[in-house]
Amino acid sequence: MNSTFASSYELLLFAISELELQKDSFVLRPGVDFSRKRKISFRDMILSLLTMQGGSLSTTSHDFFQHRLPADIPSLSALHQQRAKLLPDAMRYLFYHFTQRLPTVQTYDGFQLLACDGSDLNISYDPDDWESCKPSGNGKRGSNQLHLHALYDLCNKKYTDIRIEKTMVSNESRALVQMLENIKSPAKTIILADRGYETYHVFAHIMAKGLAFVICTKDISRKGGIAYGFRLPDRELEKDGKQAVYPMKLRMVRFLLDTGEYECIVTNLKREEFPPWRIRELYHLRWGIETSFRKLKYSIGLSQLHSKKAEYVEQEIYARVIMYNFCESITPHVSIHQKKTKYTYQVNFTMAVHICKAFLQKSSPTIPPHIETLLLRHLVPVKPGRKFPRTKKRKGFVSFAYRVS
């Protein structure tokens, strides 16, 4: 496994080196910023953003620079000054150049599965920013949120593209169309999405790109959904449909859930290769992006941002997504000796993130031989089929004064 860790680590450092060579394109004052020798170099600044913990900025800074001599440890003010020199485009460049180099070897019968979904991110309260301030509806003050749109490779567990918008002006269909333009190899790629993306505009862009899709829509009994317009019978079925405006052929697959309700799926996949049971299986796999959001927020730390300024927030979001891709490129390759027990075991992702961040903070040029041993000390059982009710209680932004130490 150390070879896998070394490979991902070298890819990340290579992407940072490329970014450093072009740093004048990603700083406020080209030729001036990061040109002098400081306690915080350009590489230090990038790595410190990648390894930020959920605590205060002071503790995060201490964790990163604690391995230095006391005279070489920078002040918190120096960290702010160096960070202010970076443009948000720096972390965006690093995300794309690192992610595109990660291997894409796992497929679903030769198909790449890209799930599209979004998640709200709480930021500091600002009632004057109407584009992000979401009213509560119960007379209390609202909350400011950003909406993270993402394309997620389900088989290789990595984010391939993201978009960041303010919640009150975000548009899921528009974001998906924009992300479709960045797909380099559309052949044998399937887009999976939940309700909210089922528009003919989206279907037309996906098919024009040469992609396939499996997208959920409202059931036949609910107005506003595509299936409602076809007046389909109230039972399990599979039906072809045509829309007059766009020259496209669609399939609608409807199947019964364990709850007694029906799920309606729109797709352009051929019936011969993808019968209804495979469409159902594909849509079930889409849940992988939901679990990735949970890891991204609570294991990586995306729910604990350290900034109020929009450009700083964008830096941190890209940094967290890069860190997620780095850790997920490592943990599946840990060789675990499965014993004859009730459950199979896998590496605890939260501890893997902590170990990877601790290693990156040291910025060591050599890979320690005990990385795999450390990861194998933290295993958790895999319990398939577990179900829990989804909690819909809104979680507010954690104030900077109430962060854990």
Side-chain angles (χ1 to χ4, degrees):
M1 196 284 303
N2 274 4
S3 60
T4 304
F5 185 95
S7 176
S8 297
Y9 181 61
E10 289 170 0
L11 286 175
L12 181 59
L13 290 188
F14 181 74
I16 294 175
S17 298
E18 278 194 329
L19 178 64
E20 190 172 13
L21 290 174
Q22 307 175 53
K23 62 184 177 183
D24 283 346
S25 301
F26 302 104
V27 295
L28 284 174
R29 298 176 299 170
V32 177
D33 292 336
F34 293 103
S35 60
R36 297 174 59 188
K37 185 176 181 180
R38 304 278 187 178
K39 291 182 179 179
I40 305 176
S41 66
F42 184 86
R43 176 169 294 204
D44 290 338
M45 192 68 252
I46 298 298
L47 287 173
S48 66
L49 287 171
L50 292 175
T51 58
M52 275 186 173
Q53 307 285 357
S56 67
L57 198 58
S58 297
T59 56
T60 297
S61 175
H62 170 76
D63 290 341
F64 185 82
F65 296 106
Q66 64 177 322
H67 307 288
R68 300 186 179 185
L69 297 174
D72 296 328
I73 297 178
S75 65
L76 198 58
S77 175
L79 182 65
H80 281 295
Q81 292 176 39
Q82 292 294 84
R83 183 177 181 181
K85 298 174 182 179
L86 275 181
L87 295 175
D89 288 344
M91 300 308 293
R92 189 183 302 119
Y93 174 93
L94 182 62
F95 165 71
Y96 286 113
H97 280 70
F98 172 64
T99 301
Q100 289 169 3
R101 288 187 172 92
L102 288 174
T104 304
V105 294
Q106 301 296 327
T107 62
Y108 175 86
D109 288 345
F111 285 86
Q112 181 186 29
L113 301 183
L114 295 180
C116 182
D117 209 342
S119 183
D120 289 328
L121 306 174
N122 292 308
I123 56 177
S124 59
Y125 182 62
D126 181 7
D128 296 328
D129 186 3
W130 65 269
E131 291 185 341
S132 67
C133 190
K134 192 173 183 178
S136 63
N138 55 6
K140 298 181 181 179
R141 82 174 194 178
S143 60
N144 289 73
Q145 292 180 336
L146 298 177
H147 195 75
L148 176 66
H149 306 275
L151 269 183
Y152 183 74
D153 188 333
L154 293 165
C155 297
N156 296 281
K157 294 185 177 182
K158 65 177 181 179
Y159 289 95
T160 61
D161 204 353
I162 63 172
R163 289 291 185 277
I164 304 166
E165 294 182 329
K166 294 183 177 181
T167 298
M168 303 306 292
V169 294
S170 67
N171 185 290
E172 291 181 326
S173 298
R174 179 183 62 211
L176 174 54
V177 169
Q178 291 173 352
M179 291 188 289
L180 290 175
E181 299 302 319
N182 289 336
I183 298 178
K184 304 299 182 183
S185 53
K188 304 203 76 173
T189 298
I190 303 175
I191 305 295
L192 298 99
D194 204 358
R195 284 175 289 273
Y197 297 92
E198 74 282 19
T199 66
Y200 288 111
H201 177 70
V202 168
F203 298 159
H205 276 85
I206 293 176
M207 297 175 74
K209 185 75 175 178
L211 304 166
F213 62 87
V214 173
I215 299 179
C216 184
T217 183
K218 294 179 181 179
D219 197 22
I220 60 174
S221 60
R222 300 183 63 183
K223 292 184 178 180
I226 292 176
Y228 183 82
F230 284 97
R231 296 294 193 274
L232 302 176
D234 190 9
R235 58 180 173 80
E236 286 193 329
L237 55 82
E238 180 182 13
K239 188 175 180 67
D240 291 329
K242 293 183 180 180
Q243 210 278 341
V245 178
Y246 296 107
M248 63 174 70
K249 289 191 66 175
L250 305 175
R251 283 174 61 201
M252 288 199 177
V253 182
R254 190 170 186 253
F255 46 82
L256 184 65
L257 302 177
D258 296 337
T259 59
E261 299 176 345
Y262 285 91
E263 199 75 87
C264 192
I265 304 295
V266 184
T267 181
N268 63 340
L269 291 169
K270 295 180 180 179
R271 182 186 291 107
E272 296 78 17
E273 297 181 40
F274 291 88
W277 68 268
R278 291 194 73 186
I279 298 297
R280 181 171 185 165
E281 181 182 72
L282 281 171
Y283 182 67
H284 178 72
L285 292 175
R286 187 207 65 85
W287 191 254
I289 191 173
E290 302 286 0
T291 58
S292 76
F293 282 142
R294 183 186 62 196
K295 291 180 180 179
L296 187 61
K297 286 184 175 181
Y298 304 110
S299 297
I300 299 292
L302 188 56
S303 62
Q304 303 282 338
L305 298 171
H306 297 80
S307 312
K308 291 184 178 180
K309 292 184 178 181
E311 56 269 26
Y312 288 2
V313 170
E314 186 173 342
Q315 282 178 357
E316 291 193 41
I317 292 174
Y318 276 101
R320 300 296 191 282
V321 178
I322 293 168
M323 198 65 201
Y324 175 91
N325 285 351
F326 176 74
C327 294
E328 279 287 20
S329 69
I330 296 166
T331 52
H333 300 283
V334 178
S335 179
I336 301 174
H337 177 65
Q338 303 290 349
K339 299 180 181 179
K340 294 183 179 180
T341 55
K342 182 178 180 180
Y343 300 108
T344 57
Y345 284 80
Q346 65 183 9
V347 174
N348 185 322
F349 185 76
T350 302
M351 284 305 303
V353 171
H354 181 76
I355 292 170
C356 289
K357 283 186 176 182
F359 174 76
L360 288 174
Q361 285 171 348
K362 295 179 181 178
S363 190
S364 174
T366 58
I367 308 297
H370 61 277
I371 286 288
E372 182 173 4
T373 304
L374 288 175
L375 294 175
L376 287 173
R377 289 175 61 89
H378 305 282
L379 303 178
V380 291
V382 179
K383 299 180 179 180
R386 301 183 78 192
K387 296 182 180 179
F388 299 95
R390 296 186 70 180
T391 57
K392 297 183 180 180
K393 183 179 179 182
R394 182 183 296 178
K395 296 183 180 181
F397 180 75
V398 179
S399 172
F400 298 118
Y402 292 93
R403 295 294 174 88
V404 295
S405 61

